[in-house]
Amino acid sequence: MQANTVYGALRGLETFSQLCDFDYGTKTVQIYKAPWSIKDKPRFAFRGLLLDTSRHYYPIDIIKQIIESMSYAKLNVLHWHIIDEQSFPLEVPAYPKLWKGAYTKWERYTVEDASEIVNFAKMRGINVMAEIDVPGHAESWGTGYPALWPSSSCREPLDVSKNFTFEVLNGILQDMRDIFPFKLFHLGGDEVNTDCWKYTPHVKQWLQERNMTAKDAYQYFVIKGQEIAISKNWTPVNWLTLAVKFGSEVKNNGNYIAVYKEETFNTFAEKLNPKTVVHNWLGPGVCPKAVAQGFKCIYSNQGVWYLDHLDVPWDGFYDAEPLEGITDSTEQELVIGGEVCMWSETADPSNVQQTIWPRAAAAAERLWTSKEAAPISNTSEAALTRLQYFRCLLTRRGVQASPVTNQYARSPPYGPGSCYDQ
Amino acid sequence: MQANTVYGALRGLETFSQLCDFDYGTKTVQIYKAPWSIKDKPRFAFRGLLLDTSRHYYPIDIIKQIIESMSYAKLNVLHWHIIDEQSFPLEVPAYPKLWKGAYTKWERYTVEDASEIVNFAKMRGINVMAEIDVPGHAESWGTGYPALWPSSSCREPLDVSKNFTFEVLNGILQDMRDIFPFKLFHLGGDEVNTDCWKYTPHVKQWLQERNMTAKDAYQYFVIKGQEIAISKNWTPVNWLTLAVKFGSEVKNNGNYIAVYKEETFNTFAEKLNPKTVVHNWLGPGVCPKAVAQGFKCIYSNQGVWYLDHLDVPWDGFYDAEPLEGITDSTEQELVIGGEVCMWSETADPSNVQQTIWPRAAAAAERLWTSKEAAPISNTSEAALTRLQYFRCLLTRRGVQASPVTNQYARSPPYGPGSCYDQ
């Protein structure tokens, strides 16, 4: 086996392991149809899985199980959405009260825990991209430091008017820099409702003194966050979507959700740092606009690659195309890859693996394999057979992967039967 | 720590481990409220969990995960319901075509696999009680040896009229004796519909020559099976229920199922070997009758201790009482314990752990703890708090245990929150 890097060798060994088959008749490991000659490389460099440890806490052993399972599908980035409005589980030595925002005194990650995860992932060829989602999705920060809230009735977004807010953000990023060596850092930026900035007296005054709207202040926050990340030698990633009118609604997993003005990409794209990686979440069409303006892009169109959308079947994941709508080859190269997202509102250690697998493996094939070798088709029998086989391989390796053909993710098998048929 | 046996020491170490708490403030392991003095012993000697590997196949690593998790709750018997009508996954060297009844060539256990499981369990203080369910629930035997079927249209029960049937049964038990050192062996015997024996010419003739009814032949089979097991120095266990009229129906997990005459306990109790351990499955009241006749009994009343009955909440398991209806202390001693049953019609590697846990832990407390220390009450806040804490301990150890208070087992969490509240 030859590879240019140790990571290439790891992927090659994974492929090799999947060629091995235990023959129960002879009780030997066989490689059928040998000799094999396989020349392989990934289609996209960035093949990610998001894990949200704020809506529910995942113990270290569960996170390690997920990382290990990722390596089987050649995914190579764990996007660790560590903190959100519900809980702040991570230790930050510079601001030790922050993890008072954890659900309980037990649902926490020490600096050592986080480093252990990063190293465990590294040994499996997986980078950890950490995320601190600002300025929205951050209510839990104020449990330890209430000054980060504009007021007791305005707890999100973080107080844009105080230097302390950016001191804390800087302190978190400084401490995290020691833990997370990966070149990308995710700054969030999504779903920010700035309404209460306008009604909180000291923030309102701050805005007026600077002749800024709340929207201007949102941009100010995003760009200041980027500057801090860049100063620590990180490339910033931001959740961004297309411009949507304030108050409009979009269908999200069967429910209508409000889309806030303050995450528009178009309105201040020119102010974003040119290094910015645009992370497309809400729907299709973001990456084409982002790459047209020279930004790199990560594809996570929620209509097809959100694992918590249980009604998306395996072929919905499989048929997604990160380069959809992008024809220029220079622009295509700016799409660094894609990511399936395991948001945790209704996922926790009891059901996370079977919500991830096997659907994430369908996306993983899309991200790894050339388009010619993995044609898009709802009725691809070959892909279904591969995925069923892979699902059973996962279970053999101890991963709780769900039946492939259930039309609602992670639902139990309908009745008795072989793993290979379900 | 003092214990009379190595198994007592193992349980003591488990208790000790559960007193240990990681303090995230000091980053040290603490034992709060020390010093502790605990004198402890189990209420029942037999504390079981049934796993059905026929309706779905469980890879070795998944079975090991289950065994490991059992030790955390001090369960000490894995009742391995290996084979059923749907598949025959086990290798039997004496009759090598039997595992042709496996779902696929991959969904099999070698003799070495089975021994590995037994040894893995032994190291954790867990015995493996194997089951070969005869003469019903055995259709898959005939895939490799069609002569075991009375005819191609009568595939169950096994052909009572042929010596070959008992030769195969003897061969299986002989080979299994080398694998399973535990003193108990389960011979099944439940849900046997003998109708087609009466209509299959050569079986009908065999019955007539012996002046036997089909019911007599069922008894003949059960007792002959017991003799074979006893000849190999096993104590036989049989699924048995109270006499129910043929064709009557009982409510089973929301559905009405037929109850077959040929598993009545009363009608031939006097013919059963006196060593027989009666395994109570269908409903309450079996153990009182069994122990009154001097038999030992295992309590698995399906109304409360069948894990596949998803509508039984944690307190349904907790409030079950194996000694219900038995007041005489000599008779009480004949109830050797109880067992929660994880039938696999709609459970497979993707969801087995969260169907087992945490409800099995509620039963485990009932089996371990004295009645005085674990009072039965639907509103036992103390028990609920313990179980929530134990569930989070399981997840910390990598086990996919479900939220405790979901009113439908293994259902996902309703929304974001702490493990300790869900």
Coordinates of all heavy atoms in Angstrom, one line a residue, chain A residues 103-159:
Chain A
Y103 N -25.3 22.0 32.5 CA -26.6 21.5 33.1 C -26.5 21.2 34.5 O -27.3 21.5 35.4 CB -27.1 20.3 32.3 CG -27.8 20.6 31.0 CD1 -27.3 20.0 29.8 CD2 -28.9 21.4 30.9 CE1 -27.9 20.3 28.6 CE2 -29.4 21.7 29.7 CZ -29.0 21.1 28.5 OH -29.5 21.4 27.3
T104 N -25.4 20.4 34.8 CA -25.2 20.0 36.2 C -23.6 20.0 36.4 O -22.9 20.1 35.4 CB -25.7 18.5 36.5 OG1 -24.9 17.6 35.6 CG2 -27.2 18.4 36.2
K105 N -23.2 19.7 37.6 CA -21.8 19.7 37.9 C -21.1 18.5 37.3 O -19.9 18.4 37.3 CB -21.5 19.7 39.4 CG -22.1 18.5 40.2 CD -21.7 18.6 41.7 CE -22.2 17.4 42.4 NZ -21.8 17.4 43.8
W106 N -21.9 17.5 36.8 CA -21.3 16.4 36.2 C -21.2 16.4 34.7 O -20.5 15.7 34.0 CB -22.1 15.1 36.5 CG -22.2 14.8 38.0 CD1 -21.2 14.4 38.8 CD2 -23.3 14.8 38.8 NE1 -21.6 14.1 40.1 CE2 -22.9 14.4 40.1 CE3 -24.7 15.2 38.6 CZ2 -23.8 14.4 41.2 CZ3 -25.6 15.1 39.7 CH2 -25.1 14.7 41.0
E107 N -22.0 17.3 34.1 CA -22.1 17.4 32.6 C -21.2 18.4 32.1 O -21.6 19.5 31.5 CB -23.6 17.6 32.2 CG -24.4 16.3 32.5 CD -25.9 16.5 32.5 OE1 -26.4 17.2 33.3 OE2 -26.6 15.8 31.6
R108 N -19.9 18.2 32.2 CA -18.8 19.1 31.9 C -17.7 18.4 31.2 O -17.5 17.2 31.4 CB -18.3 19.7 33.2 CG -19.3 20.6 33.9 CD -18.7 21.1 35.2 NE -19.5 22.1 35.8 CZ -19.2 22.7 37.0 NH1 -18.1 22.3 37.7 NH2 -20.0 23.6 37.5
Y109 N -16.9 19.2 30.4 CA -15.7 18.8 29.8 C -14.5 19.6 30.4 O -14.6 20.8 30.3 CB -15.7 18.9 28.3 CG -16.9 18.3 27.6 CD1 -17.9 19.1 27.1 CD2 -16.9 16.9 27.5 CE1 -19.0 18.5 26.5 CE2 -18.0 16.3 26.8 CZ -19.0 17.1 26.3 OH -20.1 16.5 25.7
T110 N -13.6 18.9 31.0 CA -12.4 19.6 31.4 C -11.5 19.9 30.1 O -11.7 19.3 29.1 CB -11.5 18.8 32.4 OG1 -11.1 17.6 31.7 CG2 -12.3 18.4 33.6
V111 N -10.5 20.8 30.3 CA -9.5 21.0 29.3 C -8.9 19.7 28.9 O -8.7 19.4 27.7 CB -8.5 22.0 29.8 CG1 -7.3 22.0 28.8 CG2 -9.1 23.4 29.9
E112 N -8.6 18.9 29.9 CA -8.0 17.6 29.6 C -8.9 16.6 28.8 O -8.5 15.9 27.9 CB -7.6 16.9 30.9 CG -6.5 17.6 31.7 CD -7.0 18.8 32.5 OE1 -8.2 19.0 32.6 OE2 -6.1 19.6 32.9
D113 N -10.2 16.7 29.1 CA -11.2 15.9 28.4 C -11.1 16.3 26.9 O -11.1 15.5 26.0 CB -12.6 16.1 28.9 CG -12.9 15.5 30.2 OD1 -12.2 14.5 30.6 OD2 -13.8 15.9 30.9
A114 N -11.2 17.6 26.7 CA -11.2 18.1 25.3 C -10.0 17.7 24.5 O -10.0 17.3 23.4 CB -11.4 19.6 25.3
S115 N -8.8 17.8 25.2 CA -7.5 17.4 24.6 C -7.5 15.9 24.3 O -7.0 15.5 23.2 CB -6.4 17.8 25.5 OG -6.2 19.2 25.6
E116 N -8.1 15.2 25.2 CA -8.2 13.7 25.0 C -9.0 13.4 23.7 O -8.6 12.5 22.9 CB -8.8 13.1 26.2 CG -8.6 11.6 26.2 CD -9.2 11.0 27.5 OE1 -9.2 11.7 28.6 OE2 -9.7 9.8 27.4
I117 N -10.1 14.1 23.6 CA -10.9 13.9 22.4 C -10.2 14.3 21.1 O -10.2 13.6 20.1 CB -12.2 14.7 22.5 CG1 -13.1 14.0 23.5 CG2 -12.9 14.9 21.2 CD1 -14.3 14.8 24.0
V118 N -9.5 15.4 21.2 CA -8.7 15.9 20.0 C -7.6 14.9 19.6 O -7.5 14.5 18.4 CB -8.1 17.3 20.2 CG1 -7.1 17.6 19.2 CG2 -9.2 18.3 20.3
N119 N -7.0 14.3 20.6 CA -5.9 13.3 20.3 C -6.5 12.0 19.9 O -5.9 11.4 19.0 CB -5.0 13.1 21.6 CG -4.2 14.4 21.8 OD1 -3.8 15.1 20.9 ND2 -3.9 14.6 23.1
F120 N -7.6 11.6 20.5 CA -8.2 10.4 20.0 C -8.6 10.5 18.6 O -8.5 9.5 17.8 CB -9.5 10.1 20.9 CG -10.2 8.8 20.7 CD1 -9.8 7.7 21.4 CD2 -11.2 8.7 19.8 CE1 -10.5 6.5 21.2 CE2 -11.9 7.5 19.6 CZ -11.5 6.4 20.3
A121 N -9.2 11.7 18.2 CA -9.6 11.9 16.8 C -8.4 11.9 15.9 O -8.4 11.3 14.8 CB -10.4 13.2 16.7
K122 N -7.3 12.6 16.3 CA -6.1 12.7 15.5 C -5.6 11.3 15.1 O -5.2 11.1 14.0 CB -5.1 13.5 16.2 CG -3.8 13.8 15.5 CD -2.8 14.5 16.3 CE -1.5 14.7 15.5 NZ -0.4 15.3 16.4
M123 N -5.6 10.4 16.1 CA -5.1 9.1 15.8 C -5.9 8.3 14.8 O -5.4 7.3 14.2 CB -5.1 8.2 17.1 CG -4.1 8.7 18.2 SD -2.4 8.7 17.7 CE -2.1 6.9 17.7
R124 N -7.1 8.8 14.5 CA -8.0 8.2 13.5 C -8.1 9.1 12.3 O -9.0 8.9 11.5 CB -9.3 7.9 14.2 CG -9.2 6.7 15.1 CD -10.2 6.8 16.2 NE -9.9 5.6 17.1 CZ -9.0 5.7 18.1 NH1 -8.3 6.7 18.3 NH2 -8.8 4.6 18.9
G125 N -7.2 10.1 12.2 CA -7.2 10.9 11.0 C -8.3 11.9 10.9 O -8.8 12.3 9.9
I126 N -8.8 12.3 12.1 CA -9.9 13.2 12.2 C -9.5 14.5 12.9 O -9.0 14.5 14.0 CB -11.1 12.5 12.9 CG1 -11.6 11.4 12.0 CG2 -12.2 13.5 13.2 CD1 -12.6 10.4 12.7
N127 N -9.8 15.6 12.3 CA -9.6 16.9 12.9 C -10.8 17.3 13.7 O -11.9 17.0 13.3 CB -9.3 18.0 11.9 CG -7.8 17.9 11.3 OD1 -6.9 17.9 12.1 ND2 -7.7 17.7 10.0
V128 N -10.6 18.1 14.7 CA -11.7 18.6 15.5 C -11.8 20.1 15.2 O -10.9 20.9 15.5 CB -11.6 18.4 17.0 CG1 -12.8 18.9 17.7 CG2 -11.5 16.9 17.2
M129 N -12.9 20.5 14.6 CA -13.2 21.9 14.4 C -14.2 22.4 15.5 O -15.3 22.0 15.5 CB -13.9 22.2 13.0 CG -14.3 23.6 12.8 SD -14.9 23.9 11.1 CE -16.5 23.1 11.1
A130 N -13.7 23.2 16.4 CA -14.5 23.7 17.5 C -15.4 24.8 17.1 O -15.0 25.6 16.1 CB -13.6 24.1 18.7
E131 N -16.5 25.0 17.7 CA -17.4 26.1 17.5 C -17.8 26.8 18.8 O -18.1 26.2 19.7 CB -18.7 25.7 16.7 CG -19.6 26.8 16.5 CD -20.9 26.5 15.8 OE1 -21.0 25.3 15.4 OE2 -21.8 27.4 15.6
I132 N -17.7 28.1 18.7 CA -18.3 29.0 19.7 C -19.3 29.9 18.9 O -18.9 30.7 18.1 CB -17.3 29.9 20.4 CG1 -16.2 29.0 21.1 CG2 -17.9 30.9 21.4 CD1 -16.8 28.1 22.2
D133 N -20.6 29.6 19.1 CA -21.6 30.3 18.3 C -21.9 31.7 18.9 O -22.5 31.7 20.0 CB -22.8 29.4 18.2 CG -23.8 29.8 17.1 OD1 -23.6 30.9 16.5 OD2 -24.7 29.0 16.8
V134 N -21.5 32.7 18.2 CA -21.8 34.1 18.7 C -22.4 35.0 17.6 O -22.1 34.7 16.5 CB -20.5 34.8 19.2 CG1 -20.0 34.2 20.5 CG2 -19.4 34.8 18.2
P135 N -23.1 36.0 18.0 CA -23.5 36.4 19.3 C -24.8 35.8 19.9 O -25.1 36.0 21.0 CB -23.6 38.0 19.2 CG -24.2 38.1 17.8 CD -23.5 37.0 17.0
G136 N -25.5 35.1 19.0 CA -26.7 34.4 19.5 C -26.3 33.1 20.0 O -25.1 32.8 20.1
H137 N -27.3 32.3 20.4 CA -27.0 30.9 20.9 C -26.0 30.9 22.0 O -25.2 30.0 22.1 CB -26.5 30.0 19.7 CG -27.5 29.7 18.7 ND1 -28.5 28.7 18.9 CD2 -27.8 30.2 17.5 CE1 -29.3 28.6 17.9 NE2 -28.9 29.5 17.0
A138 N -26.0 31.9 22.8 CA -25.0 32.0 23.9 C -25.5 32.4 25.2 O -24.8 32.8 26.1 CB -24.0 33.0 23.4
E139 N -26.8 32.2 25.4 CA -27.4 32.5 26.7 C -26.7 31.9 27.9 O -26.5 32.5 29.0 CB -28.9 32.1 26.7 CG -29.6 32.6 28.0 CD -31.1 32.2 28.0 OE1 -31.7 32.0 27.0 OE2 -31.6 32.0 29.1
S140 N -26.2 30.7 27.8 CA -25.6 29.9 28.9 C -24.3 30.6 29.4 O -23.9 30.3 30.5 CB -25.3 28.5 28.5 OG -24.4 28.5 27.4
W141 N -23.7 31.5 28.6 CA -22.5 32.1 29.0 C -22.8 33.0 30.3 O -21.9 33.1 31.1 CB -21.9 33.1 27.9 CG -21.5 32.5 26.6 CD1 -22.1 31.4 26.0 CD2 -20.5 32.9 25.8 NE1 -21.4 31.2 24.8 CE2 -20.4 32.1 24.7 CE3 -19.5 34.0 25.9 CZ2 -19.5 32.3 23.6 CZ3 -18.6 34.2 24.9 CH2 -18.6 33.3 23.7
G142 N -24.0 33.5 30.3 CA -24.3 34.5 31.4 C -24.6 33.9 32.7 O -24.7 34.6 33.7
T143 N -24.7 32.5 32.7 CA -25.0 31.9 34.0 C -23.8 32.2 35.0 O -24.0 32.5 36.1 CB -25.1 30.4 33.8 OG1 -26.1 30.1 32.8 CG2 -25.5 29.7 35.1
G144 N -22.6 32.1 34.4 CA -21.4 32.4 35.2 C -21.1 33.9 35.3 O -20.6 34.4 36.3
Y145 N -21.3 34.6 34.2 CA -21.0 36.0 34.1 C -22.2 36.8 33.6 O -22.3 37.0 32.4 CB -19.8 36.2 33.2 CG -18.5 35.5 33.7 CD1 -18.2 34.2 33.2 CD2 -17.7 36.1 34.6 CE1 -17.0 33.6 33.7 CE2 -16.6 35.5 35.1 CZ -16.2 34.3 34.7 OH -15.1 33.6 35.2
P146 N -23.1 37.1 34.5 CA -24.4 37.8 34.0 C -24.1 39.1 33.3 O -25.0 39.5 32.5 CB -25.1 38.0 35.3 CG -24.6 37.0 36.3 CD -23.2 36.8 35.9
A147 N -23.0 39.7 33.4 CA -22.7 40.9 32.7 C -22.6 40.7 31.2 O -22.7 41.7 30.4 CB -21.3 41.5 33.2
L148 N -22.5 39.4 30.8 CA -22.5 39.2 29.3 C -23.9 39.3 28.7 O -24.1 39.4 27.5 CB -22.0 37.8 29.1 CG -20.5 37.6 29.4 CD1 -20.2 36.1 29.4 CD2 -19.6 38.3 28.4
W149 N -25.0 39.3 29.6 CA -26.3 39.5 29.1 C -26.6 41.0 29.1 O -26.3 41.7 30.1 CB -27.3 38.9 30.1 CG -27.4 37.4 30.2 CD1 -27.1 36.5 29.2 CD2 -27.7 36.6 31.3 NE1 -27.2 35.2 29.6 CE2 -27.6 35.3 31.0 CE3 -28.1 36.9 32.6 CZ2 -27.9 34.2 31.8 CZ3 -28.4 35.9 33.5 CH2 -28.3 34.5 33.1
P150 N -27.2 41.5 28.0 CA -27.5 42.9 28.0 C -28.4 43.3 29.2 O -28.2 44.3 29.8 CB -28.3 43.1 26.7 CG -27.7 42.0 25.8 CD -27.4 40.9 26.7
S151 N -29.3 42.4 29.6 CA -30.1 42.6 30.9 C -30.6 41.3 31.3 O -30.6 40.3 30.6 CB -31.2 43.6 30.7 OG -32.2 43.0 29.9
S152 N -31.3 41.2 32.4 CA -31.8 39.9 32.9 C -33.0 39.5 32.0 O -33.3 38.3 31.9 CB -32.3 40.0 34.3 OG -33.3 41.0 34.4
S153 N -33.6 40.4 31.3 CA -34.7 40.1 30.4 C -34.2 40.0 28.9 O -34.9 39.6 28.0 CB -35.8 41.0 30.5 OG -35.4 42.3 30.1
C154 N -33.0 40.4 28.7 CA -32.4 40.3 27.3 C -31.1 39.5 27.5 O -30.0 40.1 27.7 CB -32.1 41.7 26.7 SG -31.2 41.7 25.2
R155 N -31.2 38.2 27.3 CA -30.1 37.3 27.6 C -29.4 36.9 26.3 O -28.3 36.2 26.3 CB -30.5 36.1 28.4 CG -31.1 36.5 29.7 CD -31.5 35.3 30.5 NE -31.8 35.8 31.9 CZ -31.8 34.9 32.9 NH1 -31.7 33.6 32.8 NH2 -32.1 35.4 34.2
E156 N -30.0 37.2 25.2 CA -29.4 36.9 23.9 C -29.8 38.0 23.0 O -30.9 38.5 23.0 CB -29.8 35.6 23.3 CG -29.1 34.4 23.8 CD -29.6 33.1 23.1 OE1 -30.6 33.1 22.4 OE2 -28.9 32.1 23.2
P157 N -28.9 38.5 22.0 CA -27.5 38.1 21.9 C -26.6 38.7 23.0 O -27.1 39.5 23.8 CB -27.1 38.8 20.5 CG -28.4 39.3 19.9 CD -29.4 39.5 21.1
L158 N -25.4 38.2 23.0 CA -24.4 38.7 24.0 C -24.3 40.2 23.9 O -24.6 40.8 22.8 CB -23.0 38.1 23.7 CG -22.9 36.6 23.9 CD1 -21.5 36.1 23.3 CD2 -23.0 36.2 25.4
D159 N -24.0 40.9 25.0 CA -23.9 42.3 25.0 C -22.8 42.9 24.1 O -21.6 42.8 24.4 CB -23.7 42.8 26.5 CG -24.0 44.3 26.6 OD1 -23.9 45.0 25.6 OD2 -24.4 44.7 27.7

